């Protein structure tokens, strides 16, 4: 498609960061992030190095992770990061496109990605998963949510702004994770009551090969 997905995502989240926070954070009952972060934290030692991709405004994900761990949050939106720095002063943040990051091998004990893979062009998702596996230490964990259905790269009006979306079917996500070297520990489709209506997401907790602390 003849668009710049990253520019669309950055400008879109800059424009509606406060609205997104009010709509998709404050008004979601039984937010599945809370349960799955608990699953991850139970497997990690205190002070573990955690990278959060697409951290947004920092709540609830970054805030929960930063209670026990050394967290670096990444987001493409400067406005989102400004909110995150206020909400979670004990975490570190960096503005970046997650598909252009470079970290040494084995930099992190865990990496999370909540509601952000659906903003990554489908063709770029396998390489990002490979990079994530490399950034993790042996036996490290990856916790993520994926869209629960195939969707071609597209731009739609969402919360009043243009936004880029793309996703694979769950079977393709599983294949991409396996090809990147991950073993699935949890693979669950969860339907969440969002303000616009129920949405189903594929939640996965996966591990790289190696000894797993607390498993």
């Amino acid at each position: 498609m003849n668009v710049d997905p990253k520019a669309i995502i950055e400008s879109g989240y800059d424009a509606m960061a406060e609205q997104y926070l009010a709509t998709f954070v404050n008004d979601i009952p039984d937010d599945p992030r809370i349960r799955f972060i608990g699953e991850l934290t139970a497997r990690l030692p205190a002070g573990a190095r955690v990278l959060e991709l697409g951290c947004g405004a920092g709540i609830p994900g970054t805030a929960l992770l930063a209670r026990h761990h050394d967290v670096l949050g990444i987001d493409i939106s400067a406005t989102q990061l400004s909110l995150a720095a206020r909400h979670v002063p004990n975490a570190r943040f960096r503005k970046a496109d997650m598909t252009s990051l470079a970290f040494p091998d084995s930099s992190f004990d865990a990496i999370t990605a909540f509601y952000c893979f659906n903003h990554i062009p489908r063709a770029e998702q396998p390489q990002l998963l490979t990079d994530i596996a490399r950034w993790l230490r042996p036996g490290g964990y990856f916790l993520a949510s994926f869209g629960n259905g195939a969707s071609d790269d597209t731009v739609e009006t969402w919360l009043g702004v243009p936004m880029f979306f793309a996703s694979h079917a769950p079977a393709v996500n599983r294949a991409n994770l396996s090809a990147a070297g991950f073993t699935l520990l949890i693979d669950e489709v969860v339907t969440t009551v969002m303000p616009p209506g129920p949405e189903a997401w594929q939640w996965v907790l996966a591990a790289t090969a190696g000894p797993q602390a607390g498993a």
Side-chain angles (χ1 to χ4, degrees), residues 23-24 27-32 190-201:
T23 303
F24 289 99
D27 289 339
I28 298 180
D30 300 320
D31 191 325
V190 178
T191 298
T192 304
V193 179
M194 302 284 194
E199 292 185 7
W201 291 80

Side-chain angles (χ1 to χ4, degrees), residues 12-30:
Y13 273 103
D14 279 345
M16 53 76 173
E18 293 278 6
Q19 183 181 359
Y20 179 88
L21 180 63
T23 303
F24 289 99
V25 177
N26 298 336
D27 289 339
I28 298 180
D30 300 320

